[in-house]
PDB file of all heavy atoms in Angstrom:
ATOM      1  N   GLN A 942      -3.427   6.249  -5.408  1.00  0.00           N
ATOM      2  CA  GLN A 942      -2.406   5.474  -4.750  1.00  0.00           C
ATOM      3  C   GLN A 942      -3.004   4.488  -3.746  1.00  0.00           C
ATOM      4  O   GLN A 942      -2.512   3.359  -3.605  1.00  0.00           O
ATOM      5  CB  GLN A 942      -1.404   6.384  -4.029  1.00  0.00           C
ATOM      6  CG  GLN A 942      -0.580   7.225  -4.937  1.00  0.00           C
ATOM      7  CD  GLN A 942       0.586   7.871  -4.295  1.00  0.00           C
ATOM      8  OE1 GLN A 942       1.540   7.198  -3.840  1.00  0.00           O
ATOM      9  NE2 GLN A 942       0.561   9.182  -4.211  1.00  0.00           N
ATOM     10  N   SER A 943      -4.091   4.913  -3.082  1.00  0.00           N
ATOM     11  CA  SER A 943      -4.726   4.012  -2.144  1.00  0.00           C
ATOM     12  C   SER A 943      -5.298   2.781  -2.869  1.00  0.00           C
ATOM     13  O   SER A 943      -5.281   1.652  -2.302  1.00  0.00           O
ATOM     14  CB  SER A 943      -5.846   4.755  -1.411  1.00  0.00           C
ATOM     15  OG  SER A 943      -6.713   5.320  -2.299  1.00  0.00           O
ATOM     16  N   ASP A 944      -5.759   3.002  -4.119  1.00  0.00           N
ATOM     17  CA  ASP A 944      -6.242   1.843  -4.907  1.00  0.00           C
ATOM     18  C   ASP A 944      -5.111   0.875  -5.273  1.00  0.00           C
ATOM     19  O   ASP A 944      -5.272  -0.343  -5.301  1.00  0.00           O
ATOM     20  CB  ASP A 944      -6.914   2.321  -6.212  1.00  0.00           C
ATOM     21  CG  ASP A 944      -8.176   3.116  -5.961  1.00  0.00           C
ATOM     22  OD1 ASP A 944      -8.823   2.914  -4.870  1.00  0.00           O
ATOM     23  OD2 ASP A 944      -8.509   3.953  -6.776  1.00  0.00           O
ATOM     24  N   ALA A 945      -3.914   1.448  -5.477  1.00  0.00           N
ATOM     25  CA  ALA A 945      -2.777   0.634  -5.831  1.00  0.00           C
ATOM     26  C   ALA A 945      -2.369  -0.267  -4.601  1.00  0.00           C
ATOM     27  O   ALA A 945      -2.062  -1.471  -4.826  1.00  0.00           O
ATOM     28  CB  ALA A 945      -1.560   1.525  -6.209  1.00  0.00           C
ATOM     29  N   LEU A 946      -2.487   0.245  -3.431  1.00  0.00           N
ATOM     30  CA  LEU A 946      -2.259  -0.556  -2.264  1.00  0.00           C
ATOM     31  C   LEU A 946      -3.257  -1.722  -2.112  1.00  0.00           C
ATOM     32  O   LEU A 946      -2.956  -2.852  -1.785  1.00  0.00           O
ATOM     33  CB  LEU A 946      -2.279   0.303  -0.955  1.00  0.00           C
ATOM     34  CG  LEU A 946      -1.045   1.058  -0.589  1.00  0.00           C
ATOM     35  CD1 LEU A 946      -1.340   1.977   0.595  1.00  0.00           C
ATOM     36  CD2 LEU A 946       0.088   0.133  -0.255  1.00  0.00           C
ATOM     37  N   MET A 947      -4.529  -1.405  -2.401  1.00  0.00           N
ATOM     38  CA  MET A 947      -5.591  -2.425  -2.309  1.00  0.00           C
ATOM     39  C   MET A 947      -5.338  -3.516  -3.323  1.00  0.00           C
ATOM     40  O   MET A 947      -5.610  -4.688  -3.055  1.00  0.00           O
ATOM     41  CB  MET A 947      -6.963  -1.776  -2.551  1.00  0.00           C
ATOM     42  CG  MET A 947      -7.432  -0.951  -1.394  1.00  0.00           C
ATOM     43  SD  MET A 947      -9.220  -0.489  -1.448  1.00  0.00           S
ATOM     44  CE  MET A 947      -9.067   0.763  -2.699  1.00  0.00           C
ATOM     45  N   GLU A 948      -4.791  -3.168  -4.523  1.00  0.00           N
ATOM     46  CA  GLU A 948      -4.518  -4.150  -5.528  1.00  0.00           C
ATOM     47  C   GLU A 948      -3.453  -5.150  -5.043  1.00  0.00           C
ATOM     48  O   GLU A 948      -3.558  -6.360  -5.305  1.00  0.00           O
ATOM     49  CB  GLU A 948      -4.104  -3.518  -6.822  1.00  0.00           C
ATOM     50  CG  GLU A 948      -5.164  -2.718  -7.514  1.00  0.00           C
ATOM     51  CD  GLU A 948      -6.279  -3.551  -8.098  1.00  0.00           C
ATOM     52  OE1 GLU A 948      -6.091  -4.738  -8.354  1.00  0.00           O
ATOM     53  OE2 GLU A 948      -7.391  -2.977  -8.240  1.00  0.00           O
ATOM     54  N   VAL A 949      -2.426  -4.633  -4.355  1.00  0.00           N
ATOM     55  CA  VAL A 949      -1.424  -5.522  -3.823  1.00  0.00           C
ATOM     56  C   VAL A 949      -1.954  -6.363  -2.703  1.00  0.00           C
ATOM     57  O   VAL A 949      -1.728  -7.593  -2.679  1.00  0.00           O
ATOM     58  CB  VAL A 949      -0.249  -4.695  -3.256  1.00  0.00           C
ATOM     59  CG1 VAL A 949       0.829  -5.617  -2.677  1.00  0.00           C
ATOM     60  CG2 VAL A 949       0.362  -3.777  -4.331  1.00  0.00           C
ATOM     61  N   ALA A 950      -2.755  -5.793  -1.843  1.00  0.00           N
ATOM     62  CA  ALA A 950      -3.350  -6.542  -0.724  1.00  0.00           C
ATOM     63  C   ALA A 950      -4.298  -7.634  -1.202  1.00  0.00           C
ATOM     64  O   ALA A 950      -4.322  -8.740  -0.613  1.00  0.00           O
ATOM     65  CB  ALA A 950      -4.093  -5.591   0.230  1.00  0.00           C
ATOM     66  N   SER A 951      -4.932  -7.449  -2.358  1.00  0.00           N
ATOM     67  CA  SER A 951      -5.865  -8.407  -2.837  1.00  0.00           C
ATOM     68  C   SER A 951      -5.168  -9.555  -3.600  1.00  0.00           C
ATOM     69  O   SER A 951      -5.758 -10.619  -3.919  1.00  0.00           O
ATOM     70  CB  SER A 951      -6.852  -7.737  -3.791  1.00  0.00           C
ATOM     71  OG  SER A 951      -6.258  -7.367  -5.024  1.00  0.00           O
ATOM     72  N   GLY A 952      -3.913  -9.311  -3.977  1.00  0.00           N
ATOM     73  CA  GLY A 952      -3.142 -10.289  -4.659  1.00  0.00           C
ATOM     74  C   GLY A 952      -3.234 -10.220  -6.206  1.00  0.00           C
ATOM     75  O   GLY A 952      -2.736 -11.089  -6.923  1.00  0.00           O
ATOM     76  N   SER A 953      -3.978  -9.175  -6.718  1.00  0.00           N
ATOM     77  CA  SER A 953      -4.083  -9.076  -8.157  1.00  0.00           C
ATOM     78  C   SER A 953      -2.779  -8.611  -8.850  1.00  0.00           C
ATOM     79  O   SER A 953      -2.638  -8.826 -10.066  1.00  0.00           O
ATOM     80  CB  SER A 953      -5.249  -8.101  -8.484  1.00  0.00           C
ATOM     81  OG  SER A 953      -4.889  -6.803  -8.051  1.00  0.00           O
ATOM     82  N   VAL A 954      -1.913  -8.013  -8.109  1.00  0.00           N
ATOM     83  CA  VAL A 954      -0.560  -7.653  -8.591  1.00  0.00           C
ATOM     84  C   VAL A 954       0.440  -8.011  -7.510  1.00  0.00           C
ATOM     85  O   VAL A 954       0.109  -8.194  -6.344  1.00  0.00           O
ATOM     86  CB  VAL A 954      -0.465  -6.155  -8.979  1.00  0.00           C
ATOM     87  CG1 VAL A 954      -1.373  -5.772 -10.087  1.00  0.00           C
ATOM     88  CG2 VAL A 954      -0.738  -5.254  -7.735  1.00  0.00           C
ATOM     89  N   ASP A 955       1.728  -8.030  -7.917  1.00  0.00           N
ATOM     90  CA  ASP A 955       2.774  -8.355  -6.975  1.00  0.00           C
ATOM     91  C   ASP A 955       3.187  -7.179  -6.103  1.00  0.00           C
ATOM     92  O   ASP A 955       3.562  -7.369  -4.951  1.00  0.00           O
ATOM     93  CB  ASP A 955       4.031  -8.834  -7.686  1.00  0.00           C
ATOM     94  CG  ASP A 955       3.777 -10.069  -8.573  1.00  0.00           C
ATOM     95  OD1 ASP A 955       3.108 -11.005  -8.034  1.00  0.00           O
ATOM     96  OD2 ASP A 955       4.248 -10.102  -9.710  1.00  0.00           O
ATOM     97  N   ALA A 956       3.109  -6.012  -6.641  1.00  0.00           N
ATOM     98  CA  ALA A 956       3.595  -4.810  -5.957  1.00  0.00           C
ATOM     99  C   ALA A 956       3.010  -3.539  -6.479  1.00  0.00           C
ATOM    100  O   ALA A 956       2.261  -3.581  -7.511  1.00  0.00           O
ATOM    101  CB  ALA A 956       5.145  -4.739  -6.157  1.00  0.00           C
ATOM    102  N   CYS A 957       3.250  -2.458  -5.868  1.00  0.00           N
ATOM    103  CA  CYS A 957       2.805  -1.137  -6.328  1.00  0.00           C
ATOM    104  C   CYS A 957       3.925  -0.153  -6.111  1.00  0.00           C
ATOM    105  O   CYS A 957       4.850  -0.409  -5.343  1.00  0.00           O
ATOM    106  CB  CYS A 957       1.512  -0.667  -5.692  1.00  0.00           C
ATOM    107  SG  CYS A 957       1.641  -0.305  -3.896  1.00  0.00           S
ATOM    108  N   VAL A 958       3.895   0.962  -6.884  1.00  0.00           N
ATOM    109  CA  VAL A 958       4.815   2.085  -6.649  1.00  0.00           C
ATOM    110  C   VAL A 958       4.015   3.257  -6.181  1.00  0.00           C
ATOM    111  O   VAL A 958       3.113   3.740  -6.917  1.00  0.00           O
ATOM    112  CB  VAL A 958       5.526   2.405  -7.956  1.00  0.00           C
ATOM    113  CG1 VAL A 958       6.498   3.591  -7.735  1.00  0.00           C
ATOM    114  CG2 VAL A 958       6.363   1.188  -8.450  1.00  0.00           C
ATOM    115  N   ILE A 959       4.321   3.711  -4.931  1.00  0.00           N
ATOM    116  CA  ILE A 959       3.638   4.874  -4.357  1.00  0.00           C
ATOM    117  C   ILE A 959       4.636   5.777  -3.658  1.00  0.00           C
ATOM    118  O   ILE A 959       5.760   5.430  -3.537  1.00  0.00           O
ATOM    119  CB  ILE A 959       2.570   4.379  -3.348  1.00  0.00           C
ATOM    120  CG1 ILE A 959       3.223   3.611  -2.200  1.00  0.00           C
ATOM    121  CG2 ILE A 959       1.473   3.533  -4.018  1.00  0.00           C
ATOM    122  CD1 ILE A 959       2.219   3.228  -1.048  1.00  0.00           C
ATOM    123  N   ASP A 960       4.120   6.855  -3.165  1.00  0.00           N
ATOM    124  CA  ASP A 960       4.985   7.792  -2.430  1.00  0.00           C
ATOM    125  C   ASP A 960       5.371   7.192  -1.099  1.00  0.00           C
ATOM    126  O   ASP A 960       4.546   6.555  -0.410  1.00  0.00           O
ATOM    127  CB  ASP A 960       4.222   9.152  -2.151  1.00  0.00           C
ATOM    128  CG  ASP A 960       3.996   9.920  -3.449  1.00  0.00           C
ATOM    129  OD1 ASP A 960       4.068   9.352  -4.501  1.00  0.00           O
ATOM    130  OD2 ASP A 960       3.780  11.145  -3.297  1.00  0.00           O
ATOM    131  N   ILE A 961       6.618   7.495  -0.654  1.00  0.00           N
ATOM    132  CA  ILE A 961       7.058   6.945   0.624  1.00  0.00           C
ATOM    133  C   ILE A 961       6.285   7.463   1.782  1.00  0.00           C
ATOM    134  O   ILE A 961       6.104   6.774   2.828  1.00  0.00           O
ATOM    135  CB  ILE A 961       8.578   7.173   0.808  1.00  0.00           C
ATOM    136  CG1 ILE A 961       9.134   6.344   1.916  1.00  0.00           C
ATOM    137  CG2 ILE A 961       8.833   8.679   1.049  1.00  0.00           C
ATOM    138  CD1 ILE A 961      10.654   6.368   2.029  1.00  0.00           C
ATOM    139  N   THR A 962       5.718   8.714   1.613  1.00  0.00           N
ATOM    140  CA  THR A 962       4.941   9.279   2.717  1.00  0.00           C
ATOM    141  C   THR A 962       3.707   8.428   2.983  1.00  0.00           C
ATOM    142  O   THR A 962       3.353   8.162   4.112  1.00  0.00           O
ATOM    143  CB  THR A 962       4.478  10.707   2.324  1.00  0.00           C
ATOM    144  OG1 THR A 962       3.968  10.723   1.037  1.00  0.00           O
ATOM    145  CG2 THR A 962       5.674  11.671   2.431  1.00  0.00           C
ATOM    146  N   MET A 963       3.055   7.939   1.944  1.00  0.00           N
ATOM    147  CA  MET A 963       1.911   7.087   2.089  1.00  0.00           C
ATOM    148  C   MET A 963       2.333   5.721   2.590  1.00  0.00           C
ATOM    149  O   MET A 963       1.683   5.073   3.453  1.00  0.00           O
ATOM    150  CB  MET A 963       1.087   6.938   0.813  1.00  0.00           C
ATOM    151  CG  MET A 963      -0.055   5.863   0.893  1.00  0.00           C
ATOM    152  SD  MET A 963      -1.062   5.733  -0.603  1.00  0.00           S
ATOM    153  CE  MET A 963      -2.221   7.087  -0.302  1.00  0.00           C
ATOM    154  N   ALA A 964       3.401   5.189   2.006  1.00  0.00           N
ATOM    155  CA  ALA A 964       3.923   3.860   2.445  1.00  0.00           C
ATOM    156  C   ALA A 964       4.231   3.810   3.862  1.00  0.00           C
ATOM    157  O   ALA A 964       3.875   2.836   4.586  1.00  0.00           O
ATOM    158  CB  ALA A 964       5.116   3.501   1.610  1.00  0.00           C
ATOM    159  N   ASN A 965       4.873   4.866   4.396  1.00  0.00           N
ATOM    160  CA  ASN A 965       5.226   4.920   5.822  1.00  0.00           C
ATOM    161  C   ASN A 965       3.976   4.994   6.732  1.00  0.00           C
ATOM    162  O   ASN A 965       3.928   4.416   7.813  1.00  0.00           O
ATOM    163  CB  ASN A 965       6.148   6.079   6.146  1.00  0.00           C
ATOM    164  CG  ASN A 965       7.504   5.964   5.609  1.00  0.00           C
ATOM    165  OD1 ASN A 965       7.998   4.757   5.454  1.00  0.00           O
ATOM    166  ND2 ASN A 965       8.214   6.984   5.377  1.00  0.00           N
ATOM    167  N   ALA A 966       2.950   5.724   6.197  1.00  0.00           N
ATOM    168  CA  ALA A 966       1.729   5.891   7.027  1.00  0.00           C
ATOM    169  C   ALA A 966       0.793   4.691   6.964  1.00  0.00           C
ATOM    170  O   ALA A 966       0.047   4.460   7.980  1.00  0.00           O
ATOM    171  CB  ALA A 966       0.964   7.137   6.503  1.00  0.00           C
ATOM    172  N   MET A 967       0.800   3.914   5.895  1.00  0.00           N
ATOM    173  CA  MET A 967      -0.252   2.910   5.673  1.00  0.00           C
ATOM    174  C   MET A 967       0.237   1.451   5.646  1.00  0.00           C
ATOM    175  O   MET A 967      -0.584   0.555   5.449  1.00  0.00           O
ATOM    176  CB  MET A 967      -1.002   3.230   4.434  1.00  0.00           C
ATOM    177  CG  MET A 967      -1.773   4.565   4.495  1.00  0.00           C
ATOM    178  SD  MET A 967      -2.882   4.831   3.137  1.00  0.00           S
ATOM    179  CE  MET A 967      -4.143   3.590   3.407  1.00  0.00           C
ATOM    180  N   THR A 968       1.537   1.228   5.741  1.00  0.00           N
ATOM    181  CA  THR A 968       2.056  -0.147   5.669  1.00  0.00           C
ATOM    182  C   THR A 968       2.903  -0.448   6.959  1.00  0.00           C
ATOM    183  O   THR A 968       3.417   0.402   7.533  1.00  0.00           O
ATOM    184  CB  THR A 968       2.851  -0.438   4.440  1.00  0.00           C
ATOM    185  OG1 THR A 968       4.069   0.273   4.451  1.00  0.00           O
ATOM    186  CG2 THR A 968       2.089  -0.060   3.173  1.00  0.00           C
ATOM    187  N   GLY A 969       3.009  -1.766   7.238  1.00  0.00           N
ATOM    188  CA  GLY A 969       3.735  -2.156   8.399  1.00  0.00           C
ATOM    189  C   GLY A 969       2.937  -2.372   9.620  1.00  0.00           C
ATOM    190  O   GLY A 969       1.713  -2.105   9.652  1.00  0.00           O
ATOM    191  N   GLU A 970       3.577  -2.796  10.707  1.00  0.00           N
ATOM    192  CA  GLU A 970       2.893  -3.095  11.912  1.00  0.00           C
ATOM    193  C   GLU A 970       2.071  -1.953  12.448  1.00  0.00           C
ATOM    194  O   GLU A 970       2.499  -0.831  12.511  1.00  0.00           O
ATOM    195  CB  GLU A 970       3.890  -3.515  12.940  1.00  0.00           C
ATOM    196  CG  GLU A 970       3.353  -4.029  14.290  1.00  0.00           C
ATOM    197  CD  GLU A 970       4.388  -4.515  15.254  1.00  0.00           C
ATOM    198  OE1 GLU A 970       5.551  -4.587  14.875  1.00  0.00           O
ATOM    199  OE2 GLU A 970       4.035  -4.753  16.449  1.00  0.00           O
ATOM    200  N   GLY A 971       0.806  -2.225  12.827  1.00  0.00           N
ATOM    201  CA  GLY A 971      -0.086  -1.264  13.408  1.00  0.00           C
ATOM    202  C   GLY A 971      -0.761  -0.347  12.438  1.00  0.00           C
ATOM    203  O   GLY A 971      -1.420   0.634  12.773  1.00  0.00           O
ATOM    204  N   THR A 972      -0.681  -0.715  11.128  1.00  0.00           N
ATOM    205  CA  THR A 972      -1.301   0.126  10.067  1.00  0.00           C
ATOM    206  C   THR A 972      -2.394  -0.661   9.373  1.00  0.00           C
ATOM    207  O   THR A 972      -2.653  -1.791   9.678  1.00  0.00           O
ATOM    208  CB  THR A 972      -0.263   0.598   9.011  1.00  0.00           C
ATOM    209  OG1 THR A 972       0.144  -0.570   8.241  1.00  0.00           O
ATOM    210  CG2 THR A 972       0.968   1.206   9.668  1.00  0.00           C
ATOM    211  N   SER A 973      -2.971  -0.022   8.348  1.00  0.00           N
ATOM    212  CA  SER A 973      -4.041  -0.672   7.594  1.00  0.00           C
ATOM    213  C   SER A 973      -3.599  -1.816   6.782  1.00  0.00           C
ATOM    214  O   SER A 973      -4.384  -2.761   6.477  1.00  0.00           O
ATOM    215  CB  SER A 973      -4.697   0.381   6.684  1.00  0.00           C
ATOM    216  OG  SER A 973      -5.205   1.438   7.336  1.00  0.00           O
ATOM    217  N   TYR A 974      -2.345  -1.877   6.419  1.00  0.00           N
ATOM    218  CA  TYR A 974      -1.699  -2.889   5.598  1.00  0.00           C
ATOM    219  C   TYR A 974      -0.500  -3.476   6.369  1.00  0.00           C
ATOM    220  O   TYR A 974       0.659  -3.271   5.897  1.00  0.00           O
ATOM    221  CB  TYR A 974      -1.336  -2.410   4.242  1.00  0.00           C
ATOM    222  CG  TYR A 974      -2.542  -1.947   3.408  1.00  0.00           C
ATOM    223  CD1 TYR A 974      -2.921  -0.613   3.387  1.00  0.00           C
ATOM    224  CD2 TYR A 974      -3.326  -2.875   2.762  1.00  0.00           C
ATOM    225  CE1 TYR A 974      -4.024  -0.166   2.626  1.00  0.00           C
ATOM    226  CE2 TYR A 974      -4.405  -2.498   1.972  1.00  0.00           C
ATOM    227  CZ  TYR A 974      -4.755  -1.138   1.953  1.00  0.00           C
ATOM    228  OH  TYR A 974      -5.834  -0.717   1.225  1.00  0.00           O
ATOM    229  N   ALA A 975      -0.735  -4.155   7.437  1.00  0.00           N
ATOM    230  CA  ALA A 975       0.337  -4.699   8.338  1.00  0.00           C
ATOM    231  C   ALA A 975       1.244  -5.691   7.586  1.00  0.00           C
ATOM    232  O   ALA A 975       2.388  -5.820   7.983  1.00  0.00           O
ATOM    233  CB  ALA A 975      -0.274  -5.261   9.567  1.00  0.00           C
TER     234      ALA A 975
END
């Protein structure tokens, strides 16, 4: 799932589907994927 996030951040895909637990922890303000 962490690779899926990196693909979105790099622009190689439009979006990813991951667990909300990871999405809450790793996206948004103050996270690795702000």
Side-chain angles (χ1 to χ4, degrees):
Q942 293 192 68
S943 53
D944 294 334
L946 277 173
M947 286 191 287
E948 294 292 333
V949 180
S951 71
S953 64
V954 295
D955 299 316
C957 66
V958 178
I959 62 173
D960 290 22
I961 195 170
T962 48
M963 174 177 275
N965 286 336
M967 296 189 67
T968 68
E970 186 177 351
T972 69
S973 302
Y974 296 96

